[in-house]
Amino acid sequence: MLIAAAALLYPWGGAAPQAAPREVGIGIASEDGGLQFSVVKLQWSRQAGNTKQGVAVAEGRFLLVHVMVLNTGEEPETYRASAQKLFAGGREYPVAAKAAALLYDSNEKVIDPGDSLVVMVPFDLARNVTPDTIELHTDPDSTGVRVALR
């Protein structure tokens, strides 16, 4: 019965529209899939990286979004830096992939059930750009959690 109803609602065979991510504020934990996200703080920097791997220099300036990521599931989950998005002034910004890789030696981290880690999610923004929200995802296709950064 539900399959037939879905076929009536979406006769072209496409998937149902994805639900909009819920919006929370800084410091508020919210789940997407098996991961719980909480923005801890924001930091601006001209460089991002570590002493072993080197540093990336921003074209503008890096916004480093410090995020606590907790695996609330019963299986290991992978945090992917590349799945995160920033929005400012009606525009979407991707993660600065090179800076993310230099910060952690990888753009992905496996988190065991019950474990957590704090990651810095870097975005390279022009000096005149003020961030509005960040959208945090377990994977690129998940609904996500939107966090207001103002």
Side-chain angles (χ1 to χ4, degrees):
M1 178 80 164
L2 290 176
I3 295 171
L8 290 174
L9 292 173
Y10 307 102
W12 58 89
Q18 188 175 27
R22 61 195 166 280
E23 188 168 311
V24 298
I26 292 175
I28 305 297
S30 193
E31 276 190 56
D32 178 58
L35 296 178
Q36 182 183 78
F37 298 97
S38 178
V39 173
V40 178
K41 73 176 187 173
L42 306 177
Q43 175 185 357
W44 292 97
S45 178
R46 181 79 175 110
Q47 300 179 46
N50 66 49
T51 56
K52 288 173 28 181
Q53 301 295 325
V55 295
V57 178
E59 288 182 29
R61 59 186 178 157
F62 286 120
L63 171 63
L64 303 173
V65 183
H66 297 245
V67 180
M68 170 79 74
V69 185
L70 170 68
N71 181 345
T72 59
E74 296 181 14
E75 299 292 327
E77 290 279 352
T78 302
Y79 163 79
R80 294 170 181 83
S82 61
Q84 316 318 319
K85 305 171 189 176
L86 185 94
F87 295 90
R91 184 172 167 208
E92 179 180 318
Y93 293 86
V95 165
K98 180 180 178 184
L102 289 171
L103 282 165
Y104 299 105
D105 305 327
S106 170
N107 278 312
E108 296 186 353
K109 291 288 184 190
V110 175
I111 307 171
D112 290 324
D115 285 351
S116 65
L117 59 96
V118 175
V119 296
M120 285 186 284
V121 188
F123 297 93
D124 193 346
L125 304 175
R127 292 199 175 275
N128 63 342
V129 172
T130 302
D132 296 318
T133 60
I134 186 171
E135 203 170 276
L136 302 165
H137 294 266
T138 296
D139 62 64
D141 298 324
S142 66
T143 301
V145 173
R146 193 169 276 207
V147 180
L149 300 177
R150 290 185 181 215

